[in-house]
C-alpha cells in the first residue's frame, strides 16, 4: 500500500517514484500501516498481506483529506465474473491512481455495476484479482469486511435504511463498525450534512426526503467511514432530471477535494468535465479507455462510436 | 361501427400495409344523452347516506334471519335453557367452591397468565429458530436441520396432542426437574413449542421481505453480518410482521383453552367443564366463550388498526 507491488513499479515508474517520495506521509494514513512498513522492507511479498486491524480504527480516520500523493489506489487484474451461464465480466484490467476520477460508461448490462460490486467484494470473482493499495483483497486470507470499511459504495437506488433517521443512517456504521462514540460520529455527521446543505434534514426519516436529498445522504453515509476510494454506481439514474444536478455537484466537490473515485455513469457531460479517464465497457470487456476528450470526442473503436452515437441520438450528450 | 367511419374530416383511412391506427368507431352524437349515467340503484349505493342506509338494512335483515331461524328451530327452547340460562351463566361466572365448581371468570385469569408468559417465550424461541434457519454458516448445519425438523413436527401435530404428550408424557418419565413441574408449566410449554414453530415462519417471512439491496448496503458499509441483522434487517422485518404476529397471538389466546385436557389447570374452559358436569347445564361454556371474545376482539381490532396505519404510511411514502 505504501508502494505498489514490484510488477506495478515496473509498469508505472512515475507513480512508483511519487509514491516512494511521499512514502512517509502516506504510511500514517494507509490501512494496516504497522504491517506495511515491514512488508516494504521485506520486498515484494506485501501484496498478499491483509489490511491490518490498525487500518479499521483511528488510522482510517481523515484519510480522504490526506495530502495529495500519487500511487495506485486500485488495480483490477483479469477479473472474470459469471452468474450461472451468463458471463458478465470477461477479464477486466483497470488501474486507478489516488485522486483520480474514473468514469465507467457503457450500455446497461455491459458489466459496470458488477465490476463495482466485485471491487467492493459484494460479489466473489471467478478469476483475477483486485489489488487495493497494494493488497490483494480477493485473497481468501483477507477479511472482506475490513476492506469494505475503506471503500465507500453508493447505489443507484440510494438504499438508505428506511427505519432510521437521516443522522442515524450516517452514524450507524462509524459507531458499530469503527467503534466511534455516538457523540463523535454525530458531530462529524452533522458537519458533513451542513457541508452539503442537509443539516435541517438530520432528524427526518429518509422517505420525507426528495430523491436527490436521499442520494446526497447516501453519499454522506459512505463518506462518514472516511473511505480511501468511492464507488458510485449510476447514482443519478433513479433521479428525476431536475434533481440530478444537486447530486452531481456533490460528486464534483469530492473530486475537487482529491477523492479517488470509480464512477459508473450515463451522464456523459459530467464524465467529460470531471473524469481523469473514461473507460468504455461493452459485453464484459474494456473496449477503450483514455482521457475524456479522446474517448468521448475521438473514439478509436467502432463499438465506442456506435454506443456514443446511440447516446447522442437519445439526447443524453 | 358500421361501415368505415372516417378518421377525420376528409381523411382517407390509413392504408400503409394494413398497420394503421385502430378505427375509432362511433361519433359522439351516436351516444344518446345519459349514455354514461349510472342506474338509480347504483346512484343510491354511491352516495354516502345511501351507503349507510343500505349497510344497516342489510345487516338487520341478515341478523334478523339468523335470530328467527334460531327461535323457530324445533329444539330452540331446550337450547336456550341449556346454553343461555342467565341464572346458570351468572353462577358459572362467579363460581361456588362449596358446590364443587370453580369460577369461569377466575379461570380466565389463568388463561391470561398462560398466554402472557407464552407470548414472551414464543417471541424469543421463534426468533432463535428463524435465525438458525436463515443462517448460512456450515458450522450451524446440524442446528439448521434440527430447526427444520422442529418446525415440520410441531406445525404438523395437532396442538391438543402436543399438550397431552407433554402434560402426561414428561411427568411419566420420572426425570429430575423435567418431570416434577405443575400442569400449568406443561401447558405453557406445549403452547410455546407449538406456536414457536408457526411464529418462526412468520419471522422468516419478515426477514425475507427485507430487500437484498438493504443487506448489500449494510455490507458495503463494513458492518458485520450480525450487526447488519440486528440493526438493519431485523428492525425492518419486525415492522412488517407485527400484524401476522398479532394474528397468531389471537389464536394463541383462545388455544390456551385446550390446556383444559390436562384437568389440573383450572382455566376458563376447564371451569366451565366442571360446572356443566356438576349442574348439567352448559351455560358455563357460553360464559367462557363470551369471555374469550372479550379478549380476542380488542386485539383483532388493534391488529386491523395497525394494518390500516401501515397502509396509509406506505401510500404516503409512495408519493
Amino acid at each position: 500500500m505504501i508502494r505498489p507491488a514490484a510488477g506495478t513499479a515496473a509498469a508505472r515508474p512515475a507513480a512508483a517514484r511519487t509514491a516512494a517520495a511521499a512514502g512517509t506521509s502516506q504510511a500514517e494514513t494507509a490501512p494496516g500501516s504497522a504491517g506495511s512498513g515491514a512488508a516494504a522492507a521485506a520486498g515484494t511479498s506485501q501484496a498478499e498481506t491483509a489490511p491490518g486491524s490498525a487500518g479499521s480504527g483511528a488510522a482510517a480516520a481523515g484519510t480522504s483529506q490526506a495530502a495529495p500523493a500519487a500511487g495506485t489506489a486500485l488495480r483490477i487484474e483479469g477479473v472474470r465474473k459469471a452468474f450461472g451461464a451468463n458471463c458478465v465480466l470477461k477479464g477486466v484490467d483497470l488501474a486507478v491512481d489516488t485522486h483520480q476520477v474514473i468514469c465507467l460508461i457503457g450500455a446497461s448490462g455491459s458489466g459496470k455495476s458488477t465490476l463495482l460490486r466485485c471491487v467492493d467484494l459484494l460479489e466473489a470473482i471467478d478469476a483475477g484479482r483486485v489489488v487495493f493499495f497494494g493488497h490483494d483483497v480477493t485473497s481468501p486470507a483477507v477479511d472482506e469486511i475490513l476492506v469494505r470499511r475503506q471503500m465507500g459504495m453508493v447505489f443507484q437506488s440510494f438504499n438508505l435504511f428506511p427505519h432510521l433517521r437521516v443522522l442515524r443512517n450516517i452514524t450507524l456504521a462509524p459507531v458499530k463498525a469503527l467503534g466511534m462514540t455516538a457523540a463523535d460520529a454525530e458531530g462529524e455527521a452533522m458537519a458533513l450534512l451542513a457541508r452539503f446543505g442537509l443539516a435541517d434534514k438530520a432528524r427526518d426519516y429518509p422517505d420525507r426526503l426528495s430523491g436527490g436529498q436521499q442520494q446526497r445522504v447516501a453519499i454522506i453515509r459512505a463518506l462518514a467511514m472516511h473511505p480511501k476510494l468511492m464507488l458510485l454506481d449510476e447514482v443519478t439514474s433513479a433521479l428525476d432530471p431536475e434533481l440530478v444536478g444537486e447530486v452531481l455537484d456533490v460528486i464534483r466537490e469530492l473530486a475537487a477535494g482529491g477523492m479517488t473515485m470509480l464512477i459508473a455513469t450515463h451522464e456523459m457531460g459530467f464524465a467529460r468535465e470531471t473524469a481523469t479517464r473514461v473507460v468504455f465497457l461493452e459485453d464484459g470487456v474494456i473496449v477503450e479507455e483514455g482521457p475524456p476528450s479522446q474517448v468521448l470526442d475521438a473514439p478509436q473503436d467502432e463499438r465506442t462510436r456506435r454506443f456514443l452515437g446511440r447516446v447522442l441520438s437519445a439526447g443524453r450528450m | 361501427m358500421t361501415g368505415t367511419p372516417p378518421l377525420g374530416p376528409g381523411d382517407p383511412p390509413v392504408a400503409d400495409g394494413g398497420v394503421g391506427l385502430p378505427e375509432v368507431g362511433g361519433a359522439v352524437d351516436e351516444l344518446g344523452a345519459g349514455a354514461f349515467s349510472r342506474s338509480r340503484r347504483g346512484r343510491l349505493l354511491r352516495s354516502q347516506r345511501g351507503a349507510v342506509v343500505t349497510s344497516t338494512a342489510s345487516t338487520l335483515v341478515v341478523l334478523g334471519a339468523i335470530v328467527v331461524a334460531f327461535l323457530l328451530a324445533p329444539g330452540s327452547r331446550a337450547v336456550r335453557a341449556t346454553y343461555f340460562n342467565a341464572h346458570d351463566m351468572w353462577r358459572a361466572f362467579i363460581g361456588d367452591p362449596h358446590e364443587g365448581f370453580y369460577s369461569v371468570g377466575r379461570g380466565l385469569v389463568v388463561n391470561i397468565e398462560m398466554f402472557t408468559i407464552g407470548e414472551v417465550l414464543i417471541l424469543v424461541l421463534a426468533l432463535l429458530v428463524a435465525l438458525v434457519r436463515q443462517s448460512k454458516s456450515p458450522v450451524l448445519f446440524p442446528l439448521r436441520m434440527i430447526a427444520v425438523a422442529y418446525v415440520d413436527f410441531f406445525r404438523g401435530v395437532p396442538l391438543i396432542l402436543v399438550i397431552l404428550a407433554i402434560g402426561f408424557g414428561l411427568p411419566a418419565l420420572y426425570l429430575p426437574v423435567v418431570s416434577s413441574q405443575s400442569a400449568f408449566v406443561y401447558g405453557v410449554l406445549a403452547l410455546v413449542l407449538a406456536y414457536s414453530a408457526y411464529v418462526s415462519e412468520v419471522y422468516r417471512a419478515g426477514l425475507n421481505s427485507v430487500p437484498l439491496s438493504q443487506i448489500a448496503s449494510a455490507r458495503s458499509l463494513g458492518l458485520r453480518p450480525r450487526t447488519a441483522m440486528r440493526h438493519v434487517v431485523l428492525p425492518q422485518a419486525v415492522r412488517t410482521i407485527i400484524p401476522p404476529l398479532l394474528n397468531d397471538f389471537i389464536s394463541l389466546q383462545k388455544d390456551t383453552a385446550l390446556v383444559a385436557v390436562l384437568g389440573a389447570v383450572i382455566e376458563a374452559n376447564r371451569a366451565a367443564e366442571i360446572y356443566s358436569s356438576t349442574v348439567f347445564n352448559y351455560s358455563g361454556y357460553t360464559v367462557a366463550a363470551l369471555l374469550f371474545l372479550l379478549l380476542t376482539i380488542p386485539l383483532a381490532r388493534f391488529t386491523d388498526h395497525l394494518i390500516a396505519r401501515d397502509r396509509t404510511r406506505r401510500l404516503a411514502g409512495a408519493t
Side-chain angles (χ1 to χ4, degrees), chain B residues 262-301:
Chain B
L262 295 183
V265 182
I266 312 299
E267 47 72 55
N269 182 30
R270 178 74 182 128
E273 196 174 273
I274 294 170
Y275 182 83
S276 69
S277 57
T278 315
V279 186
F280 300 107
N281 184 291
Y282 291 151
S283 297
Y285 284 123
T286 311
V287 173
L290 290 174
L291 290 177
F292 276 112
L293 283 176
L294 278 182
L295 283 183
T296 52
I297 288 178
L299 188 53
R301 287 291 78 76

mmCIF file of all heavy atoms in Angstrom, chain B residues 262-301:
data_model
loop_
_atom_site.group_PDB
_atom_site.id
_atom_site.type_symbol
_atom_site.label_atom_id
_atom_site.label_comp_id
_atom_site.label_asym_id
_atom_site.label_seq_id
_atom_site.Cartn_x
_atom_site.Cartn_y
_atom_site.Cartn_z
ATOM 1 N N LEU B 262 -55.637 -31.286 30.357
ATOM 2 C CA LEU B 262 -54.759 -31.799 31.413
ATOM 3 C C LEU B 262 -55.500 -31.906 32.746
ATOM 4 O O LEU B 262 -55.003 -32.518 33.685
ATOM 5 C CB LEU B 262 -53.529 -30.889 31.576
ATOM 6 C CG LEU B 262 -52.601 -30.838 30.364
ATOM 7 C CD1 LEU B 262 -51.391 -29.980 30.672
ATOM 8 C CD2 LEU B 262 -52.164 -32.241 29.957
ATOM 9 N N GLY B 263 -56.670 -31.306 32.835
ATOM 10 C CA GLY B 263 -57.515 -31.462 34.011
ATOM 11 C C GLY B 263 -57.107 -30.608 35.194
ATOM 12 O O GLY B 263 -57.945 -29.992 35.842
ATOM 13 N N ALA B 264 -55.816 -30.520 35.453
ATOM 14 C CA ALA B 264 -55.380 -29.895 36.694
ATOM 15 C C ALA B 264 -55.277 -28.374 36.601
ATOM 16 O O ALA B 264 -55.135 -27.704 37.625
ATOM 17 C CB ALA B 264 -54.035 -30.471 37.122
ATOM 18 N N VAL B 265 -55.318 -27.836 35.386
ATOM 19 C CA VAL B 265 -55.227 -26.377 35.253
ATOM 20 C C VAL B 265 -56.652 -25.833 35.160
ATOM 21 O O VAL B 265 -57.354 -26.073 34.184
ATOM 22 C CB VAL B 265 -54.429 -25.978 34.002
ATOM 23 C CG1 VAL B 265 -54.321 -24.468 33.922
ATOM 24 C CG2 VAL B 265 -53.042 -26.602 34.044
ATOM 25 N N ILE B 266 -57.078 -25.107 36.197
ATOM 26 C CA ILE B 266 -58.457 -24.612 36.197
ATOM 27 C C ILE B 266 -58.507 -23.292 35.453
ATOM 28 O O ILE B 266 -58.548 -22.217 36.061
ATOM 29 C CB ILE B 266 -58.993 -24.457 37.633
ATOM 30 C CG1 ILE B 266 -58.704 -25.715 38.449
ATOM 31 C CG2 ILE B 266 -60.499 -24.184 37.604
ATOM 32 C CD1 ILE B 266 -59.343 -26.988 37.930
ATOM 33 N N GLU B 267 -58.452 -23.371 34.125
ATOM 34 C CA GLU B 267 -58.643 -22.137 33.340
ATOM 35 C C GLU B 267 -60.113 -22.069 32.942
ATOM 36 O O GLU B 267 -60.905 -22.934 33.338
ATOM 37 C CB GLU B 267 -57.665 -22.099 32.165
ATOM 38 C CG GLU B 267 -57.553 -23.346 31.335
ATOM 39 C CD GLU B 267 -58.756 -23.563 30.480
ATOM 40 O OE1 GLU B 267 -59.073 -22.640 29.731
ATOM 41 O OE2 GLU B 267 -59.376 -24.629 30.586
ATOM 42 N N ALA B 268 -60.512 -21.076 32.192
ATOM 43 C CA ALA B 268 -61.938 -20.797 31.981
ATOM 44 C C ALA B 268 -62.692 -21.996 31.403
ATOM 45 O O ALA B 268 -63.772 -22.364 31.867
ATOM 46 C CB ALA B 268 -62.084 -19.588 31.048
ATOM 47 N N ASN B 269 -62.090 -22.623 30.394
ATOM 48 C CA ASN B 269 -62.749 -23.743 29.735
ATOM 49 C C ASN B 269 -62.926 -24.920 30.705
ATOM 50 O O ASN B 269 -63.979 -25.563 30.753
ATOM 51 C CB ASN B 269 -61.906 -24.147 28.523
ATOM 52 C CG ASN B 269 -62.518 -25.273 27.737
ATOM 53 O OD1 ASN B 269 -63.742 -25.406 27.702
ATOM 54 N ND2 ASN B 269 -61.676 -26.080 27.124
ATOM 55 N N ARG B 270 -61.882 -25.163 31.502
ATOM 56 C CA ARG B 270 -61.939 -26.273 32.458
ATOM 57 C C ARG B 270 -62.986 -25.982 33.539
ATOM 58 O O ARG B 270 -63.744 -26.868 33.951
ATOM 59 C CB ARG B 270 -60.554 -26.465 33.086
ATOM 60 C CG ARG B 270 -60.468 -27.564 34.132
ATOM 61 C CD ARG B 270 -60.501 -28.942 33.496
ATOM 62 N NE ARG B 270 -60.471 -29.981 34.530
ATOM 63 C CZ ARG B 270 -61.347 -30.985 34.620
ATOM 64 N NH1 ARG B 270 -62.330 -31.077 33.735
ATOM 65 N NH2 ARG B 270 -61.242 -31.872 35.570
ATOM 66 N N ALA B 271 -63.051 -24.730 33.991
ATOM 67 C CA ALA B 271 -64.031 -24.337 34.998
ATOM 68 C C ALA B 271 -65.446 -24.544 34.458
ATOM 69 O O ALA B 271 -66.334 -25.052 35.161
ATOM 70 C CB ALA B 271 -63.819 -22.884 35.408
ATOM 71 N N ALA B 272 -65.655 -24.175 33.177
ATOM 72 C CA ALA B 272 -66.968 -24.356 32.553
ATOM 73 C C ALA B 272 -67.304 -25.839 32.452
ATOM 74 O O ALA B 272 -68.448 -26.257 32.664
ATOM 75 C CB ALA B 272 -66.973 -23.713 31.164
ATOM 76 N N GLU B 273 -66.280 -26.636 32.142
ATOM 77 C CA GLU B 273 -66.466 -28.078 32.019
ATOM 78 C C GLU B 273 -66.925 -28.661 33.361
ATOM 79 O O GLU B 273 -67.874 -29.456 33.422
ATOM 80 C CB GLU B 273 -65.118 -28.677 31.613
ATOM 81 C CG GLU B 273 -65.129 -30.082 31.070
ATOM 82 C CD GLU B 273 -63.721 -30.438 30.596
ATOM 83 O OE1 GLU B 273 -63.412 -30.139 29.438
ATOM 84 O OE2 GLU B 273 -62.927 -30.964 31.395
ATOM 85 N N ILE B 274 -66.250 -28.230 34.424
ATOM 86 C CA ILE B 274 -66.605 -28.731 35.763
ATOM 87 C C ILE B 274 -68.018 -28.292 36.130
ATOM 88 O O ILE B 274 -68.811 -29.062 36.652
ATOM 89 C CB ILE B 274 -65.572 -28.227 36.799
ATOM 90 C CG1 ILE B 274 -64.204 -28.857 36.525
ATOM 91 C CG2 ILE B 274 -66.028 -28.559 38.225
ATOM 92 C CD1 ILE B 274 -63.074 -28.255 37.325
ATOM 93 N N TYR B 275 -68.317 -27.031 35.777
ATOM 94 C CA TYR B 275 -69.666 -26.530 36.093
ATOM 95 C C TYR B 275 -70.718 -27.375 35.380
ATOM 96 O O TYR B 275 -71.693 -27.834 35.999
ATOM 97 C CB TYR B 275 -69.806 -25.060 35.682
ATOM 98 C CG TYR B 275 -71.168 -24.490 36.035
ATOM 99 C CD1 TYR B 275 -71.421 -24.013 37.318
ATOM 100 C CD2 TYR B 275 -72.203 -24.478 35.108
ATOM 101 C CE1 TYR B 275 -72.668 -23.531 37.659
ATOM 102 C CE2 TYR B 275 -73.452 -23.998 35.446
ATOM 103 C CZ TYR B 275 -73.684 -23.526 36.723
ATOM 104 O OH TYR B 275 -74.921 -23.067 37.066
ATOM 105 N N SER B 276 -70.504 -27.599 34.091
ATOM 106 C CA SER B 276 -71.532 -28.309 33.320
ATOM 107 C C SER B 276 -71.695 -29.745 33.807
ATOM 108 O O SER B 276 -72.797 -30.277 33.841
ATOM 109 C CB SER B 276 -71.197 -28.288 31.834
ATOM 110 O OG SER B 276 -70.067 -29.094 31.586
ATOM 111 N N SER B 277 -70.616 -30.380 34.240
ATOM 112 C CA SER B 277 -70.738 -31.762 34.681
ATOM 113 C C SER B 277 -71.290 -31.842 36.107
ATOM 114 O O SER B 277 -71.781 -32.881 36.525
ATOM 115 C CB SER B 277 -69.388 -32.473 34.585
ATOM 116 O OG SER B 277 -68.450 -31.771 35.347
ATOM 117 N N THR B 278 -71.233 -30.720 36.839
ATOM 118 C CA THR B 278 -71.797 -30.713 38.190
ATOM 119 C C THR B 278 -73.289 -30.406 38.141
ATOM 120 O O THR B 278 -74.104 -31.045 38.809
ATOM 121 C CB THR B 278 -71.095 -29.636 39.056
ATOM 122 O OG1 THR B 278 -69.692 -29.731 38.851
ATOM 123 C CG2 THR B 278 -71.410 -29.814 40.527
ATOM 124 N N VAL B 279 -73.642 -29.398 37.323
ATOM 125 C CA VAL B 279 -75.007 -28.878 37.339
ATOM 126 C C VAL B 279 -75.814 -29.381 36.129
ATOM 127 O O VAL B 279 -77.018 -29.200 36.070
ATOM 128 C CB VAL B 279 -74.957 -27.331 37.371
ATOM 129 C CG1 VAL B 279 -76.319 -26.720 37.525
ATOM 130 C CG2 VAL B 279 -74.059 -26.859 38.503
ATOM 131 N N PHE B 280 -75.129 -30.001 35.181
ATOM 132 C CA PHE B 280 -75.763 -30.455 33.931
ATOM 133 C C PHE B 280 -76.424 -29.312 33.182
ATOM 134 O O PHE B 280 -77.543 -29.405 32.717
ATOM 135 C CB PHE B 280 -76.768 -31.595 34.218
ATOM 136 C CG PHE B 280 -76.082 -32.769 34.847
ATOM 137 C CD1 PHE B 280 -76.265 -33.055 36.190
ATOM 138 C CD2 PHE B 280 -75.222 -33.550 34.097
ATOM 139 C CE1 PHE B 280 -75.595 -34.097 36.790
ATOM 140 C CE2 PHE B 280 -74.562 -34.620 34.707
ATOM 141 C CZ PHE B 280 -74.742 -34.891 36.052
ATOM 142 N N ASN B 281 -75.688 -28.207 33.115
ATOM 143 C CA ASN B 281 -76.137 -27.075 32.300
ATOM 144 C C ASN B 281 -74.906 -26.473 31.622
ATOM 145 O O ASN B 281 -73.878 -26.264 32.253
ATOM 146 C CB ASN B 281 -76.808 -26.019 33.190
ATOM 147 C CG ASN B 281 -77.371 -24.883 32.360
ATOM 148 O OD1 ASN B 281 -76.623 -24.115 31.779
ATOM 149 N ND2 ASN B 281 -78.692 -24.799 32.300
ATOM 150 N N TYR B 282 -75.020 -26.226 30.292
ATOM 151 C CA TYR B 282 -73.855 -25.796 29.508
ATOM 152 C C TYR B 282 -73.654 -24.287 29.470
ATOM 153 O O TYR B 282 -72.816 -23.798 28.733
ATOM 154 C CB TYR B 282 -73.972 -26.314 28.068
ATOM 155 C CG TYR B 282 -73.829 -27.829 27.966
ATOM 156 C CD1 TYR B 282 -74.462 -28.543 26.950
ATOM 157 C CD2 TYR B 282 -73.046 -28.524 28.877
ATOM 158 C CE1 TYR B 282 -74.333 -29.920 26.860
ATOM 159 C CE2 TYR B 282 -72.917 -29.894 28.805
ATOM 160 C CZ TYR B 282 -73.564 -30.593 27.787
ATOM 161 O OH TYR B 282 -73.421 -31.952 27.709
ATOM 162 N N SER B 283 -74.400 -23.559 30.254
ATOM 163 C CA SER B 283 -74.288 -22.093 30.183
ATOM 164 C C SER B 283 -72.899 -21.607 30.575
ATOM 165 O O SER B 283 -72.465 -20.528 30.151
ATOM 166 C CB SER B 283 -75.334 -21.438 31.099
ATOM 167 O OG SER B 283 -76.623 -21.763 30.639
ATOM 168 N N GLY B 284 -72.191 -22.396 31.358
ATOM 169 C CA GLY B 284 -70.822 -22.028 31.731
ATOM 170 C C GLY B 284 -69.933 -21.917 30.496
ATOM 171 O O GLY B 284 -69.089 -21.019 30.395
ATOM 172 N N TYR B 285 -70.156 -22.816 29.525
ATOM 173 C CA TYR B 285 -69.380 -22.737 28.275
ATOM 174 C C TYR B 285 -69.672 -21.432 27.534
ATOM 175 O O TYR B 285 -68.784 -20.817 26.948
ATOM 176 C CB TYR B 285 -69.732 -23.915 27.364
ATOM 177 C CG TYR B 285 -69.094 -25.232 27.791
ATOM 178 C CD1 TYR B 285 -69.882 -26.350 28.059
ATOM 179 C CD2 TYR B 285 -67.720 -25.346 27.903
ATOM 180 C CE1 TYR B 285 -69.309 -27.551 28.441
ATOM 181 C CE2 TYR B 285 -67.131 -26.543 28.285
ATOM 182 C CZ TYR B 285 -67.928 -27.653 28.550
ATOM 183 O OH TYR B 285 -67.354 -28.817 28.919
ATOM 184 N N THR B 286 -70.946 -21.047 27.570
ATOM 185 C CA THR B 286 -71.302 -19.786 26.905
ATOM 186 C C THR B 286 -70.560 -18.625 27.548
ATOM 187 O O THR B 286 -70.058 -17.737 26.866
ATOM 188 C CB THR B 286 -72.818 -19.564 26.990
ATOM 189 O OG1 THR B 286 -73.471 -20.760 26.576
ATOM 190 C CG2 THR B 286 -73.254 -18.410 26.118
ATOM 191 N N VAL B 287 -70.502 -18.667 28.884
ATOM 192 C CA VAL B 287 -69.774 -17.603 29.590
ATOM 193 C C VAL B 287 -68.308 -17.593 29.146
ATOM 194 O O VAL B 287 -67.749 -16.542 28.820
ATOM 195 C CB VAL B 287 -69.864 -17.809 31.120
ATOM 196 C CG1 VAL B 287 -68.972 -16.804 31.838
ATOM 197 C CG2 VAL B 287 -71.293 -17.684 31.585
ATOM 198 N N ALA B 288 -67.711 -18.795 29.119
ATOM 199 C CA ALA B 288 -66.298 -18.876 28.717
ATOM 200 C C ALA B 288 -66.118 -18.321 27.303
ATOM 201 O O ALA B 288 -65.203 -17.536 27.052
ATOM 202 C CB ALA B 288 -65.816 -20.325 28.787
ATOM 203 N N ALA B 289 -67.047 -18.696 26.404
ATOM 204 C CA ALA B 289 -66.945 -18.215 25.018
ATOM 205 C C ALA B 289 -67.008 -16.696 24.970
ATOM 206 O O ALA B 289 -66.209 -16.042 24.290
ATOM 207 C CB ALA B 289 -68.062 -18.824 24.176
ATOM 208 N N LEU B 290 -67.962 -16.125 25.726
ATOM 209 C CA LEU B 290 -68.097 -14.662 25.727
ATOM 210 C C LEU B 290 -66.831 -13.998 26.275
ATOM 211 O O LEU B 290 -66.369 -12.984 25.755
ATOM 212 C CB LEU B 290 -69.315 -14.245 26.569
ATOM 213 C CG LEU B 290 -70.680 -14.598 25.948
ATOM 214 C CD1 LEU B 290 -71.808 -14.276 26.941
ATOM 215 C CD2 LEU B 290 -70.889 -13.828 24.643
ATOM 216 N N LEU B 291 -66.284 -14.596 27.325
ATOM 217 C CA LEU B 291 -65.077 -14.004 27.917
ATOM 218 C C LEU B 291 -63.905 -14.043 26.927
ATOM 219 O O LEU B 291 -63.142 -13.083 26.811
ATOM 220 C CB LEU B 291 -64.703 -14.736 29.211
ATOM 221 C CG LEU B 291 -65.663 -14.513 30.385
ATOM 222 C CD1 LEU B 291 -65.237 -15.343 31.596
ATOM 223 C CD2 LEU B 291 -65.718 -13.033 30.759
ATOM 224 N N PHE B 292 -63.779 -15.173 26.197
ATOM 225 C CA PHE B 292 -62.703 -15.245 25.198
ATOM 226 C C PHE B 292 -62.890 -14.193 24.113
ATOM 227 O O PHE B 292 -61.930 -13.571 23.652
ATOM 228 C CB PHE B 292 -62.631 -16.645 24.581
ATOM 229 C CG PHE B 292 -61.823 -17.604 25.415
ATOM 230 C CD1 PHE B 292 -62.420 -18.666 26.072
ATOM 231 C CD2 PHE B 292 -60.455 -17.430 25.567
ATOM 232 C CE1 PHE B 292 -61.682 -19.540 26.850
ATOM 233 C CE2 PHE B 292 -59.698 -18.296 26.346
ATOM 234 C CZ PHE B 292 -60.319 -19.354 26.986
ATOM 235 N N LEU B 293 -64.151 -13.977 23.727
ATOM 236 C CA LEU B 293 -64.412 -12.935 22.727
ATOM 237 C C LEU B 293 -63.973 -11.574 23.247
ATOM 238 O O LEU B 293 -63.417 -10.758 22.505
ATOM 239 C CB LEU B 293 -65.900 -12.904 22.370
ATOM 240 C CG LEU B 293 -66.363 -14.014 21.424
ATOM 241 C CD1 LEU B 293 -67.876 -13.929 21.224
ATOM 242 C CD2 LEU B 293 -65.652 -13.893 20.083
ATOM 243 N N LEU B 294 -64.233 -11.345 24.546
ATOM 244 C CA LEU B 294 -63.827 -10.064 25.134
ATOM 245 C C LEU B 294 -62.316 -9.862 25.030
ATOM 246 O O LEU B 294 -61.835 -8.741 24.939
ATOM 247 C CB LEU B 294 -64.235 -10.009 26.608
ATOM 248 C CG LEU B 294 -65.672 -9.621 26.908
ATOM 249 C CD1 LEU B 294 -65.898 -9.559 28.414
ATOM 250 C CD2 LEU B 294 -65.980 -8.258 26.276
ATOM 251 N N LEU B 295 -61.566 -10.958 25.068
ATOM 252 C CA LEU B 295 -60.109 -10.854 24.963
ATOM 253 C C LEU B 295 -59.667 -10.671 23.514
ATOM 254 O O LEU B 295 -58.808 -9.850 23.203
ATOM 255 C CB LEU B 295 -59.449 -12.127 25.494
ATOM 256 C CG LEU B 295 -59.352 -12.331 26.991
ATOM 257 C CD1 LEU B 295 -58.602 -13.624 27.264
ATOM 258 C CD2 LEU B 295 -58.592 -11.170 27.616
ATOM 259 N N THR B 296 -60.220 -11.492 22.631
ATOM 260 C CA THR B 296 -59.669 -11.559 21.272
ATOM 261 C C THR B 296 -60.144 -10.411 20.390
ATOM 262 O O THR B 296 -59.387 -9.943 19.542
ATOM 263 C CB THR B 296 -60.036 -12.892 20.610
ATOM 264 O OG1 THR B 296 -61.438 -13.079 20.707
ATOM 265 C CG2 THR B 296 -59.322 -14.045 21.274
ATOM 266 N N ILE B 297 -61.386 -9.952 20.581
ATOM 267 C CA ILE B 297 -61.892 -8.912 19.674
ATOM 268 C C ILE B 297 -61.087 -7.613 19.773
ATOM 269 O O ILE B 297 -60.705 -7.049 18.745
ATOM 270 C CB ILE B 297 -63.407 -8.686 19.880
ATOM 271 C CG1 ILE B 297 -64.163 -9.902 19.320
ATOM 272 C CG2 ILE B 297 -63.875 -7.412 19.189
ATOM 273 C CD1 ILE B 297 -65.659 -9.835 19.511
ATOM 274 N N PRO B 298 -60.766 -7.129 20.989
ATOM 275 C CA PRO B 298 -59.943 -5.911 21.025
ATOM 276 C C PRO B 298 -58.606 -6.083 20.309
ATOM 277 O O PRO B 298 -58.164 -5.196 19.575
ATOM 278 C CB PRO B 298 -59.733 -5.672 22.522
ATOM 279 C CG PRO B 298 -60.848 -6.384 23.189
ATOM 280 C CD PRO B 298 -61.176 -7.561 22.326
ATOM 281 N N LEU B 299 -57.988 -7.249 20.482
ATOM 282 C CA LEU B 299 -56.701 -7.469 19.826
ATOM 283 C C LEU B 299 -56.882 -7.509 18.303
ATOM 284 O O LEU B 299 -56.040 -6.996 17.554
ATOM 285 C CB LEU B 299 -56.066 -8.771 20.339
ATOM 286 C CG LEU B 299 -54.626 -9.043 19.895
ATOM 287 C CD1 LEU B 299 -53.726 -7.864 20.196
ATOM 288 C CD2 LEU B 299 -54.077 -10.294 20.569
ATOM 289 N N ALA B 300 -57.989 -8.111 17.877
ATOM 290 C CA ALA B 300 -58.267 -8.159 16.434
ATOM 291 C C ALA B 300 -58.443 -6.749 15.872
ATOM 292 O O ALA B 300 -57.910 -6.409 14.818
ATOM 293 C CB ALA B 300 -59.511 -8.993 16.164
ATOM 294 N N ARG B 301 -59.192 -5.904 16.617
ATOM 295 C CA ARG B 301 -59.396 -4.518 16.152
ATOM 296 C C ARG B 301 -58.063 -3.764 16.127
ATOM 297 O O ARG B 301 -57.783 -2.996 15.232
ATOM 298 C CB ARG B 301 -60.389 -3.783 17.052
ATOM 299 C CG ARG B 301 -61.838 -4.206 16.906
ATOM 300 C CD ARG B 301 -62.455 -3.787 15.560
ATOM 301 N NE ARG B 301 -62.047 -4.679 14.472
ATOM 302 C CZ ARG B 301 -62.552 -5.900 14.295
ATOM 303 N NH1 ARG B 301 -63.483 -6.357 15.092
ATOM 304 N NH2 ARG B 301 -62.122 -6.665 13.318
#
